[in-house]
Structure formats: structure tokens, C-alpha cells
Amino acid sequence: MDTANNHPVCSVVFLHGLVSALPSNTLDSWPAGPFTTKGRWITDVQGDHLTYAGVNWPGAADTMVPEGLQYASIPNIVGKIKDIGMNAIRLTWAVEMVDDILDGGGDIDIKTSFVKVLGDKNGTDVYEAVLEKNPSFAPNITRLEVFDAIAQECAKQQIYVHLDNHVSKAGWCCADNDGNAWFGDKFFDVNKWKRALGYMAEHGKSWPALISMSLRNELRSPSNWLFRVANVNWDNWYSNMTAGASAIHDANPDVLIFFSGLKSDSQLRPIFSNDVLGQDIDFDTSKLAYANKIVLEVHDYDMASNCTVKKSLLTTNSFGALDPPDPKAQTAFPLVMSEWGFEQTVAQLHAPYASCLEKFLPEQKVGWITWVVSGSYYIRAGVPDKDETWGLLDHEWKTWRRLDRTKEAKGTPCSTSERQANGQLPPSSRGSINQPEESIPSTLLVRLPGEVRLQIWREVVGGNLFHLTGSKQPVSLKCFICRAYSKDPITNGNKRFPRCQGSQKEPCFFSGPENASFDALSLLLTCRQIYAEAVDLLYASNAFNIDNGETLDAIMSFTKPRFLSIRTVHVNMAMWRIRGWNSVSGVREESSTAFGEWAHFWEMLGSTMKGLQHLRLDIYGTAFTELCEDDMTPLLVLPKLKTFDLAMWRQIEGADSTRFNLGLSVPLQTYVRRSLCQ
């Protein structure tokens, strides 16, 4: 198995190229602020241009504590950002934190926040890990004091801080039904939002590294149709955004103010094109006290368009602010692409999206802040310690996320234009070979809505049972397709216990050159976009059979981030592996060593497969009277399961194996709370 351990992280190499294209800035008088704007440029007090080259650092999720501090110290994280040549972080925050401070009698300490969100045990564990990694933290440090510590370290290492108001109610962003979408939405109290902007601007006066603040992340149409029709328009945008900007400027006149647009911050055109915003209002900066502080921000996650189309759309909707197409437009504006990014794979690195932006951003001489530094989250969408496959850092925030394996670089692109360029057009889709490369449209398949494509991929690659087998010395890991799984022990010739009935002549995707025997792999290797969209489904939509601890040791040795996507596991285990076996007498006897290995097995499985939702456990060579509550306690380290199927098998003399099924879809804790011993 090729682990590609010698490959550098794909996007760090990519970002080095972007950073090297930036103008150099003297740091002798850092930060050389306050900064102002003039036309399309941001300038410091010396008249030098500033171009942002940064990374997003989330702090607006459920805990309202900046992510990753249970794995790494603030100086360590900031140092990594500094080491690859970046000069800024976009630090996100939630209005809810300020509401707690102003309406709840003050900020809360991070332990209280962790326990509230993660539960008593997990919250306490994370809190203690944060203190261990950040020994300068006081035990009662508050959430906002963590933001202070990050800002202080950024100043020390000369990294600019941009504060981004990401949401009102803390949580993962963004959806049209999350209550955070538009002014007046369920959780988007406009008065509290303006109050929070002023509070953070005032608080940030003590941060030398703070040079800019955003008004709001990704304004978008809420799901409520009546609300949308009545409220989502440029007129409301103008009145609210200018009021929010005034709240920032009145509290802290030094900081730059980032204005986002509509449609999840992809549409800015009316701001710079001299269009009427509503009721005879246009964006006349001469009326604004902070006219020389305005920066426009845009987000781009359009991965379907080819580069020619992408550049045209960006120029029309946002980048036109740098050089307005209408000569009547009052002014040009600086622009920063404050969110863009992709999954950290070779396929995505070389896909049209990334390669296009790699050229386009330096050509336009604009700043950028990529999504995201986080290798994982305290919790996301209800999943604790959720892996972030888009993260620049690995899951434990130790190093830059490495490539899964070199063969990921060998996929072909999905657009007919790029296939033509590589001489790989199939005969049925050659079209006109005289067309310019970028003008040839994408295939019909990639034009389908994303949810439709995902369902297609799920049907093709899902629904299988794979038997994993591995060894620790030497480290190896193989996978075989289980064509049957003890549906009928007599038919399958299994007289003792249920096992994977697959043949080792039918290897699956870990086993090397014989991969073609698993038909679904041909789909994944069709092109880069399909690989990027379908590869996680290969893990999430199939079940995996494991029957020994050495296999889990092998999985952990490979540290494959894809295993975090596994949702369903079948475990087969002999009773003697739990209680012990005397090889001399040939009888079972109690063994603390065996039980320790049993407990270690579940600890490894829980730490390796954090996304696990469904578990089937088959224990053979036993009866009900032999399995007790203590035997099941080690399973409590697993994430919260949706279904748990426990079956115990024993050989009855003169008969086939008998299966006692304790039920399906019952919470794991049900089995642990009651004694199974008679």
C-alpha cells in the first residue's frame, strides 16, 4: 500500500506559489498602520501596498473557542502559518459570544463552554488538553481571552488579524435555514449585530495586529419564501451594511471594513457598477465617513465552471471592482477573496478550479484568504472531533496534511476540453478539435446538480461488505470483498461462527494492482472531479468487517484520514479473545491480558473511526451466561452510535451454530447498563 509519506502537502506547495507572487513589504515598522484605501489598493502609512495572503481560523462554531487548541498551542499554529509565508488570519467569531457577555453577566470560561457543548466527559477532556497544550492559559480563561491570546501571538510573529463576523448564533455555517442568513432572520437580530460589531471593534483596539473587520459572512436568501421576497434586496443590504460599518468605525476608526455582497458573497456588481441599489440609492462613498476604509470581499467555490467561464463570472460579479467597467462609477475598490479552498487531494490540486485561481489571483494582484487551517473541529454537525478534509493541517494539527497516495495524481479531468488537451478524448466525445481548449463545455454528467451526482456515486460504489485484514510486523493492510456474510451458516459451509465468506482472490481497493476486480474503482479513476466527489462515499456507504486487533494496528500505522469517513463496521470476535485461553490445557480461563487487549481494541477503533454510526458485533464460542456488563463497558469509548446489533454464537454438539440475536437498532448503552449475566 502506497502511503505517499514523502509527498509534501499539496496545497501548501500551491500556496507557496501564490505567496511568492505577492509584493514584498518592509516589516521594520510593522504593522505600519492604520491602513487606508485608495482606488483598488490598500496602503500603509508609508504608502506601500498591502496584499492579504492568509488562512481562515474558525472561532464561531458551537463552543465559540478558536479551533484546534486541544492539539496545538497558539504559538505553534501561528508559527506554522508564518512559516509558509502567509501574513494574515481571518479569525471568525459569533454575535452570540458578545450577547453572552453583555446580556448574561459576562463571558464564560472555556471549560464551561466545552462541557455545555461536548458533554461533561468529552468537554472536560478537551478542556484539559487545551490547558496542557497552552500552559500560559489560566484555568478560568474565557472565550474572548483566547481571542486575545491569538491576537497577541499574531502581533509577536507579525501576522495581521482580520476579524470576521461569521454568524449570529454560533454553529457551522452556512445554510438557508440556519437562522443566520439575512438581516432579521430567526437568529439575526440586527440591533444586537450592530452592538456586537461595535463591541469587538472597541475591544480590538488593544490588539496591534488587528487591521480589519468584516461586517457579515455570506449573506444569503433564507428558506422562508415570504421573508425572502419582502426583505432580501440591495436596498436593505445598503441600509444595514452602512449602519454596521458606522458601528465599527465609530468604535475603532483605524480598522479597514470589509463589505460582503449577496448570494453567499458571490455578487458585488451593484456596489461598483453605479447601479441603483433601491429607492434612488447608490453606493456613494462620498457620503460615508469611512470612505477610505472600505474593502470588498468575495467568496468563490464554483468548481463546475471551466477557467474561461470562471474568470468571466468573477470579473463581472466581483473583480470588476478593481477597474469598474462603467466610466461613471465613482471609484474602484480593493478586493480580497476571503474564502476559497478545496479538499486536500492531488486530484483537487490539479483540477481546473485550483489551477485557474493559481494564475488568476496573482494576475489581478488581489489578496486572498484560503479556507481553512483547521485539521479538525471540536464538534461539527453534531460529530465530536470532526475531521476537516479541506484543512491545511492534519487532523491533530501537527503538520501539513499529506497526500493519501500518489495514484490520486493520475486521474484525468472531467471536462472534455482538458481531455482533448491530454490526448485522451474518447471517440464518442471528440467534438471539434479546433475549438479553443477552455471554450469546450463540460460533460453533461458534471452539469447535473451535486446532490444527484452524489446519489449516482452512492449507488455505484456503496452497498458492499469489505473484510479488512492486516498485520503490524511488518505493517500491511489488505481488503477483500465479502460476497456473503453468514446469511445461512449451513449453505455457506460455516459450522461454527459467522465470518466473511469472501474469497481472497477478489481483492478491493487496498490490495494493489488487482484493484480492477472491484468495478466501482473504475468510476473513481474516471476523472478528478468524480474521484473528489465519490471517494468518501466509498468509505461511508460500505460496511467493513474486522476480526482482530492487528488489523486496527495496521490502520493506525497508515493513519489514513479516509477511515474517519467509515460509518458501518462489523466485528467478529471469539470469546477467548475477551476472557483468555490456556493453550496448554485447551480450555478457556480468565486473563487480564486478554481483557486488556479487548479494551484496547475498542479504544483504537473509537479513535480511528470517529464517524462510526453503525456497529454489528458477533461473539462466538459463548452463551448468554458468559457475557457480562463489564465485558461491554470498553465499547463506551465509541462515538454515539445510531444502531448496535449484538449477536452471540455457540456451537451445540451435533448441530450447526446457533445465533442468539439481542436485537437491532438499540442504543449501545442499553446493553452496558444491564447485566447480561444470569
Side-chain angles (χ1 to χ4, degrees):
M1 181 180 180
D2 186 358
T3 58
N5 286 330
N6 295 322
H7 283 266
V9 62
C10 57
S11 79
V12 170
V13 175
F14 172 81
L15 293 172
H16 265 305
L18 286 178
V19 170
S20 64
L22 299 175
S24 59
N25 295 87
T26 176
L27 301 179
D28 293 341
S29 57
W30 193 93
F35 292 85
T36 56
T37 65
K38 185 176 181 180
R40 58 157 294 160
W41 301 109
I42 300 171
T43 59
D44 63 19
V45 292
Q46 300 169 347
D48 294 326
H49 294 165
L50 168 68
T51 304
Y52 285 76
V55 65
N56 280 270
W57 190 343
D62 306 63
T63 66
M64 290 171 275
V65 177
E67 303 288 342
L69 301 182
Q70 81 277 42
Y71 286 126
S73 68
I74 290 174
N76 182 274
I77 297 170
V78 175
K80 284 181 167 59
I81 295 169
K82 178 78 170 181
D83 286 344
I84 61 172
M86 290 186 178
N87 63 15
I89 63 167
R90 181 175 182 247
L91 186 59
T92 72
W93 60 281
V95 171
E96 184 180 349
M97 179 176 68
V98 178
D99 290 345
D100 290 345
I101 294 171
L102 298 179
D103 299 333
D107 200 3
I108 62 174
D109 61 80
I110 64 171
K111 181 179 182 179
T112 300
S113 183
F114 284 134
V115 169
K116 178 181 178 181
V117 174
L118 303 175
D120 186 65
K121 183 180 186 305
N122 286 347
T124 301
D125 289 347
V126 169
Y127 163 74
E128 291 175 351
V130 169
L131 292 189
E132 180 181 355
K133 293 294 183 180
N134 296 269
S136 64
F137 283 5
N140 61 345
I141 188 172
T142 65
R143 298 168 299 183
L144 188 55
E145 287 173 341
V146 175
F147 282 78
D148 292 338
I150 291 175
Q152 180 181 6
E153 185 62 32
C154 284
K156 181 179 179 181
Q157 299 198 39
Q158 297 186 336
I159 297 292
Y160 300 117
V161 173
H162 170 77
L163 267 181
D164 170 70
N165 175 230
H166 217 61
V167 290
S168 289
K169 181 175 177 55
W172 181 252
C173 183
C174 299
D176 61 2
N177 62 352
D178 63 5
N180 286 308
W182 188 262
F183 311 102
D185 202 356
K186 181 178 180 181
F187 302 118
F188 197 160
D189 184 308
V190 174
N191 290 328
K192 289 186 176 181
W193 166 69
K194 290 186 291 186
R195 180 182 70 170
L197 291 174
Y199 182 89
M200 293 300 288
E202 175 69 32
H203 186 83
K205 282 182 177 180
S206 62
W207 299 355
L210 179 65
I211 64 169
S212 55
M213 293 180 61
S214 75
L215 290 164
R216 188 67 172 198
N217 176 69
E218 294 195 0
L219 291 166
R220 55 203 178 275
S221 296
S223 57
N224 185 306
W225 182 82
L226 291 176
F227 181 94
R228 183 166 68 242
V229 171
N231 294 282
V232 179
N233 53 63
W234 282 104
D235 191 3
N236 278 340
W237 175 91
Y238 179 84
S239 60
N240 285 297
M241 293 291 272
T242 53
S246 294
I248 291 176
H249 189 69
D250 291 346
N252 188 344
D254 286 345
V255 296
L256 299 170
I257 304 172
F258 279 40
F259 280 71
S260 59
L262 269 61
K263 297 183 178 180
S264 297
D265 203 10
S266 64
Q267 179 57 267
L268 299 168
R269 185 175 178 81
I271 302 173
F272 62 80
S273 63
N274 207 35
D275 289 353
V276 175
L277 299 178
Q279 298 183 359
D280 297 324
I281 298 173
D282 59 16
F283 200 69
D284 184 358
T285 58
S286 65
K287 303 175 184 178
L288 305 174
Y290 44 83
N292 67 342
K293 295 290 185 178
I294 297 172
V295 179
L296 303 186
E297 62 174 321
V298 63
H299 294 179
D300 180 56
Y301 293 108
D302 173 19
M303 300 185 183
S305 300
N306 64 41
C307 195
T308 297
V309 173
K310 173 178 286 294
K311 290 191 290 188
S312 176
L313 290 173
L314 287 173
T315 300
T316 299
N317 296 326
S318 54
F319 279 69
L322 303 171
D323 184 17
D326 187 345
K328 297 180 182 179
Q330 298 175 38
T331 185
F333 294 95
L335 181 73
V336 174
M337 184 173 281
S338 55
E339 273 194 35
W340 63 281
F342 49 89
E343 188 179 25
Q344 298 302 292
T345 64
V346 171
Q348 286 300 303
L349 175 64
H350 295 293
Y353 170 82
S355 58
C356 184
L357 289 179
E358 180 185 19
K359 297 177 182 177
F360 186 64
L361 293 176
E363 287 173 356
Q364 300 299 311
K365 297 180 173 62
V366 300
W368 49 267
I369 307 175
T370 190
W371 187 272
V372 60
V373 72
S374 307
S376 55
Y377 300 96
Y378 300 122
I379 188 170
R380 173 178 161 183
V383 180
D385 200 28
K386 173 72 173 177
D387 189 58
E388 174 56 272
T389 59
W390 289 44
L392 298 185
L393 290 173
D394 65 8
H395 185 90
E396 296 183 347
W397 295 60
K398 289 181 179 179
T399 187
W400 303 113
R401 191 175 289 267
R402 292 190 177 275
L403 308 178
D404 283 351
R405 50 187 177 185
T406 56
K407 69 166 52 181
E408 289 181 329
K410 299 179 181 179
T412 57
C414 284
S415 67
T416 56
S417 59
E418 291 191 75
R419 285 178 181 161
Q420 174 189 328
N422 292 331
Q424 296 176 349
L425 268 177
S428 60
S429 56
R430 284 195 178 274
S432 172
I433 61 174
N434 295 319
Q435 280 185 275
E437 176 186 342
E438 295 290 353
S439 66
I440 302 176
S442 297
T443 61
L444 177 62
L445 186 61
V446 297
R447 295 182 194 174
L448 291 173
E451 61 270 19
V452 175
R453 294 200 306 274
L454 290 178
Q455 185 58 37
I456 294 173
W457 311 151
R458 189 177 289 108
E459 291 294 327
V460 175
V461 306
N464 299 289
L465 177 62
F466 296 132
H467 177 68
L468 301 180
T469 178
S471 62
K472 191 173 182 180
Q473 296 294 336
V475 176
S476 68
L477 183 63
K478 294 183 179 180
C479 174
F480 304 98
I481 301 173
C482 297
R483 295 302 184 190
Y485 188 73
S486 300
K487 295 179 180 178
D488 183 346
I490 298 176
T491 302
N492 289 329
N494 185 349
K495 302 296 184 180
R496 295 188 60 212
F497 52 82
R499 293 294 296 270
C500 166
Q501 302 301 312
S503 167
Q504 294 195 0
K505 296 180 181 179
E506 300 178 289
C508 54
F509 50 93
F510 300 115
S511 55
E514 309 96 331
N515 280 342
S517 63
F518 179 40
D519 293 339
L521 282 182
S522 60
L523 170 68
L524 268 66
L525 298 179
T526 299
C527 71
R528 297 180 187 128
Q529 182 169 344
I530 292 177
Y531 178 89
E533 293 180 350
V535 65
D536 280 333
L537 294 175
L538 182 65
Y539 293 81
S541 301
N542 291 298
F544 294 83
N545 174 252
I546 302 171
D547 61 10
N548 63 76
E550 283 197 345
T551 296
L552 278 181
D553 281 328
I555 291 173
M556 296 185 73
S557 297
F558 284 115
T559 61
K560 295 283 292 181
R562 298 290 182 198
F563 287 115
L564 295 168
S565 299
I566 290 178
R567 298 291 179 265
T568 305
V569 169
H570 295 185
V571 174
N572 305 102
M573 199 70 69
M575 191 64 191
W576 64 264
R577 286 186 176 271
I578 306 174
R579 297 291 184 81
W581 183 265
N582 190 316
S583 59
V584 177
S585 63
V587 299
R588 179 176 61 80
E589 61 183 27
E590 300 295 329
S591 168
S592 59
T593 300
F595 187 79
E597 292 177 353
W598 163 256
H600 181 57
F601 175 89
W602 294 108
E603 182 181 352
M604 288 193 296
L605 191 141
S607 64
T608 306
M609 302 180 185
K610 297 179 183 293
L612 187 65
Q613 296 177 355
H614 310 282
L615 173 65
R616 167 175 167 168
L617 173 58
D618 287 276
I619 300 177
Y620 55 91
T622 184
F624 290 127
T625 56
E626 295 174 322
L627 193 63
C628 301
E629 180 178 357
D630 289 345
D631 298 320
M632 302 301 292
T633 301
L635 277 68
L636 290 179
V637 301
L638 298 176
K640 186 176 181 180
L641 301 174
K642 291 184 178 179
T643 64
F644 175 58
D645 182 16
L646 173 62
M648 289 177 286
W649 300 72
R650 62 175 174 174
Q651 178 70 21
I652 300 177
E653 187 174 354
D656 298 306
S657 58
T658 301
R659 182 174 191 250
F660 298 91
N661 194 342
L662 294 188
L664 185 65
S665 303
V666 179
L668 170 63
Q669 286 75 10
T670 299
Y671 296 108
V672 178
R673 283 197 301 265
R674 73 184 184 193
S675 174
L676 298 176
C677 297
Q678 295 180 351

